[in-house]
């Protein structure tokens, strides 16, 4: 690993070859660590919600080095220590009622960003014009972060999520936590109608817990959504038949969001969701030992032909009920509804306002970001 990605919108051929040979494979990561790569849908789904696995190594002193991202060791590692409690604290803030109340703001902001985009002479980088600023400003509004600070925390989260430069990643995480600490203190003194203020008002919650949740939400709601908007739009623009289907029937937008999420490509260097075995057990006839590192490859699972017929083809009418894009079980992403809502708003407005939108370059000219935990496209040049 990593496997060569010959087309940024398609599964890596090497990953497809492995998947055809079985569900679990011995691999060596880019950092030189040995791991078990799980590619079969049934096994990935089971192991995502399996108490024989942990996000933390059972023997921290023996834990293998990560990819250089302080986020993995710090932010996400802390979240793993008391997952059930922290999830229970977060879930009320992602309720359908909260998302419905936030949607008008997302629609208004998307419209403003598209106004600015339409006023430019094409080609325009859709990532820079829409995919990047939208999630930042949405998170600011929702969490209660002053809009004037959006560029500061955006830079810190990108640094913290970087791979290959541990010092820069650690510094970014430190800056992010420092900012969040000041923000939490301000919300304690001057609460408002926002997520951070409501979390602070939870009985018995400590400042460090609020701090960790705030940093986690800032990262999770920003970096991942930026990447998903880019791959969602590019997959549809690369398949004119599917784009035309949305033009003829905008009611297909929710299905298009789910289908492009199923197919979206994260950073190919990442390998999958990292887990550690807490005990010995078998996966598809292969013995996993306590302490072994497993990479649960959701993208490969979402391209499993036993679950999705012709999985490399975009089909906005497909039944995607088996998609694992947001995880599964107890570890299913708590922010899935927020991400879906933003993607639905973006697609709805793009189809309505820019029906002639198309890629300004060939798919072969699109590139993936390899220097970050999340990945996503480097640029998305479009014209109309």
């Amino acid at each position: 690993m990593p496997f060569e990605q010959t087309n940024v919108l398609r599964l890596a051929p090497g990953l497809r070859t492995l998947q055809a040979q079985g569900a679990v494979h011995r691999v060596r990561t880019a950092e030189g660590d040995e791991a078990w790569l799980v590619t079969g849908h049934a096994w990935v789904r089971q192991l995502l919600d399996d108490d024989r696995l942990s996000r933390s190594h059972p023997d921290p002193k023996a834990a293998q080095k990560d990819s250089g991202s302080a986020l993995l060791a710090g932010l996400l590692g802390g979240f793993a220590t008391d997952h059930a409690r922290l999830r229970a604290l977060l879930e009320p803030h992602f309720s359908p009622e909260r998302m419905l109340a936030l949607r008008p703001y997302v629609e208004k902001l998307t419209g403003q960003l598209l106004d600015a985009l339409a006023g430019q002479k094409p080609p325009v980088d859709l990532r820079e014009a829409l995919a990047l600023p939208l999630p930042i400003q949405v998170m600011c509004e929702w969490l209660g972060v002053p809009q004037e600070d959006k560029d500061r925390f955006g830079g810190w989260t990108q640094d913290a999520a970087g791979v290959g430069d541990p010092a820069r990643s650690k510094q970014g995480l430190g800056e992010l936590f420092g900012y969040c600490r000041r923000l939490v203190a301000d919300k304690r003194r001057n609460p408002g109608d926002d997520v951070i203020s409501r979390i602070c008002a939870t009985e018995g919650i400590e400042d460090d817990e609020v701090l960790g949740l705030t940093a986690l939400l800032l990262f999770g709601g920003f970096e991942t959504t930026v990447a998903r908007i880019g791959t969602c739009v590019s997959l549809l623009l690369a398949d004119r038949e599917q784009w035309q289907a949305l033009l003829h029937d905008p009611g297909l937008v929710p299905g298009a969001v789910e289908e492009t999420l199923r197919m979206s490509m994260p950073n190919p260097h990442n390998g999958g969701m990292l887990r550690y075995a807490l005990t010995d057990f078998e996966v598809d006839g292969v013995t996993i030992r306590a302490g072994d590192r497993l990479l649960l490859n959701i993208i490969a699972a979402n391209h499993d032909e036993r679950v999705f017929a012709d999985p490399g083809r975009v089909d906005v009418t497909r039944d995607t009920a088996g998609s694992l894009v947001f995880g599964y079980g107890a570890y299913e992403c708590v922010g899935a509804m927020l991400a879906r809502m933003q993607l639905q708003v973006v697609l709805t407005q793009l189809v309505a306002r820019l029906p002639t939108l198309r890629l300004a370059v060939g798919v072969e000219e699109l590139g993936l970001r390899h220097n970050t935990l999340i990945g996503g496209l480097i640029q998305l040049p479009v014209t109309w």
Side-chain angles (χ1 to χ4, degrees):
M1 293 173 55
F3 302 104
E4 183 181 3
Q5 192 85 17
T6 55
N7 182 323
V8 299
L9 302 182
R10 296 289 179 263
L11 193 68
L15 198 53
R16 167 69 71 205
T17 299
L18 280 184
Q19 191 177 50
Q21 297 171 358
V24 59
H25 319 273
R26 193 64 169 168
V27 297
R28 188 177 300 278
T29 70
E31 295 75 45
D33 298 323
E34 291 188 358
W36 294 106
L37 180 70
V38 185
T39 58
H41 183 279
W43 278 107
V44 170
R45 183 176 63 178
Q46 176 179 322
L47 294 173
L48 282 169
D49 192 27
D50 195 314
D51 58 12
R52 295 172 298 180
L53 297 178
S54 171
R55 292 183 181 220
S56 304
H57 197 286
D59 179 6
K61 293 181 180 180
Q64 296 161 304
K65 62 180 180 294
D66 64 28
S67 59
S69 171
L71 197 73
L72 281 175
L75 213 173
L76 296 182
F79 187 62
T81 59
D82 194 2
H83 174 263
R85 168 174 161 74
L86 297 182
R87 186 180 183 90
L89 288 171
L90 287 177
E91 283 182 334
H93 307 288
F94 289 96
S95 68
E97 294 78 15
R98 295 287 186 191
M99 295 300 99
L100 188 62
L102 182 62
R103 185 165 185 138
Y105 175 80
V106 177
E107 292 173 339
K108 179 181 177 181
L109 179 56
T110 302
Q112 293 171 343
L113 292 170
L114 289 180
D115 285 342
L117 181 150
Q120 299 181 53
K121 182 179 179 180
V124 175
D125 180 5
L126 191 71
R127 182 182 187 275
E128 190 70 26
L130 179 64
L132 196 59
L134 178 67
I136 295 177
Q137 294 185 52
V138 169
M139 292 307 294
C140 283
E141 176 72 13
W142 185 62
L143 288 173
V145 175
Q147 287 285 345
E148 59 267 23
D149 291 343
K150 66 180 184 296
D151 293 332
R152 298 169 65 200
F153 86 70
W156 296 329
T157 59
Q158 289 182 66
D159 286 346
V163 296
D165 188 345
R168 182 174 180 178
S169 180
K170 184 177 181 179
Q171 181 177 352
L173 191 65
E175 296 280 7
L176 179 63
F177 268 94
Y179 174 80
C180 290
R181 189 175 297 279
R182 296 189 296 273
L183 187 64
V184 168
D186 181 66
K187 296 296 181 182
R188 290 281 198 192
R189 293 190 300 268
N190 305 295
D193 184 20
D194 55 70
V195 171
I196 300 175
S197 295
R198 290 193 290 271
I199 291 176
C200 284
T202 303
E203 185 177 355
I205 196 167
E206 301 291 335
D207 276 359
D208 282 348
E209 287 183 302
V210 182
L211 172 66
L213 289 173
T214 300
L216 184 68
L217 289 170
L218 282 173
F219 171 79
F222 167 45
E223 282 283 325
T224 55
T225 309
V226 172
R228 297 309 185 211
I229 291 174
T231 51
C232 170
V233 174
S234 57
L235 278 163
L236 292 167
L237 294 184
D239 190 322
R240 299 310 297 178
E241 180 181 344
Q242 299 301 305
W243 180 256
Q244 289 295 324
L246 296 183
L247 295 180
H248 292 144
D249 184 2
L252 293 174
V253 163
V257 167
E258 297 305 317
E259 173 69 340
T260 53
L261 282 171
R262 177 188 70 82
M263 297 184 66
S264 60
M265 296 294 145
N267 185 347
H269 287 248
N270 193 15
M273 302 291 288
L274 176 63
R275 298 288 188 271
Y276 293 100
L278 298 177
T279 186
D280 295 355
F281 63 96
E282 284 196 358
V283 175
D284 197 29
V286 175
T287 300
I288 308 296
R289 301 295 183 188
D292 280 0
R293 176 177 182 160
L294 288 86
L295 297 171
L296 310 182
N297 197 297
I298 287 173
I299 293 300
N302 280 343
H303 284 74
D304 191 327
E305 294 178 339
R306 290 163 291 190
V307 180
F308 303 104
D310 196 5
R313 180 175 63 87
V314 181
D315 180 359
V316 298
T317 66
R318 185 193 299 273
D319 178 2
T320 57
S323 175
L324 301 175
V325 66
F326 289 115
Y328 182 76
Y331 284 92
E332 185 171 0
C333 176
V334 70
M337 191 176 296
L338 177 58
R340 285 185 168 110
M341 183 261 283
Q342 291 183 75
L343 284 164
Q344 289 175 11
V345 170
V346 165
L347 268 191
T348 298
Q349 294 202 21
L350 282 176
V351 167
R353 300 184 56 171
L354 294 170
T356 59
L357 191 70
R358 61 189 185 278
L359 293 175
V361 298
V363 172
E364 68 279 0
E365 296 180 62
L366 298 176
L368 289 174
R369 294 156 57 86
H370 298 312
N371 61 344
T372 176
L373 183 67
I374 299 303
L377 296 172
I378 297 171
Q379 291 181 316
L380 181 50
V382 296
T383 188
W384 56 91

